[in-house]
Amino acid sequence: MVSPDVHPGVAGESPTAANIAPMTPRLIVSVSGLRDSVLDDAVDLVEALDRRSVPVSLLVAPRRGHEYRLAEDAPTQQWLRHRRGLGDSIVLGGYDEAATRRRRPEFASLGPAEAAARLAAADRLMAEMGLRTRLFAPPRWDASPGCLEALPGAGFRLCASLDGVYDVVRGTVDRGRALSMGEGFLADGWWCRALVAAAGRTAEAGGLVRLNVSAKHLSRRAPRTALLDAVDQVTERYGARATRYAWSPVSLVRAA
């Protein structure tokens, strides 16, 4: 069965692809760290993005140490399946989110064998919940060479890393730095303002704007406001085309 995240006309396509004018900026918005305790805030943000006709990519890890299992969180599972049905993307955001509390993020220094084992375990759990995806975003956007090597063999086709979106099947990359609040990045007021400014500069240059917020910060005014301000700026002022993380069977990306 073809994954809902595999289809034409998706993030990763060249700015000069059909139906997109040259140098038209693109926008991808993602929410990470999803779980029961922050679900209400995530739902509220996604509804605000719905009103702006902006799709969302939802980054989720099946585990968080001994304290959390997505398999035991029926409301979050149900919402994720609902959002996928509406056209949003589910992105595997790691295997065990608790590993990101360590000095190095979970997939930042793994060799191919260990990365493959973790990817297989996460993939199995996601499949059991009806949330299987072929898209991957390592915790803190940090994937080791071994992780990138292991992804195709584990069935994954796209990796959203810090500096760009990698098609790990074809070996191509769509450049665009992840602009994050939380998930290993700051979420203070000054950082949020800097993120809005950086998004504007990227959109003005016709680039790929990648915005991410950790759901646990959405109860605070500054990160939520900054994300929506950045979205409004790049779509209304610069005409960015809102899309989501997904993989196309048709190669539309030039080689890196």
Side-chain angles (χ1 to χ4, degrees), residues 197-245:
R201 289 192 298 271
T202 302
E204 186 176 20
L208 173 61
V209 180
R210 299 169 58 210
L211 301 173
N212 179 76
V213 64
S214 172
K216 72 178 182 181
H217 292 289
L218 288 173
S219 60
R220 297 172 49 212
R221 181 178 178 181
R224 185 184 188 280
T225 298
L227 184 99
L228 294 176
D229 284 351
V231 167
D232 291 342
Q233 176 184 209
V234 302
T235 56
E236 296 175 7
R237 182 174 179 182
Y238 297 108
R241 172 181 177 263
T243 182
R244 61 187 179 89
Y245 291 119

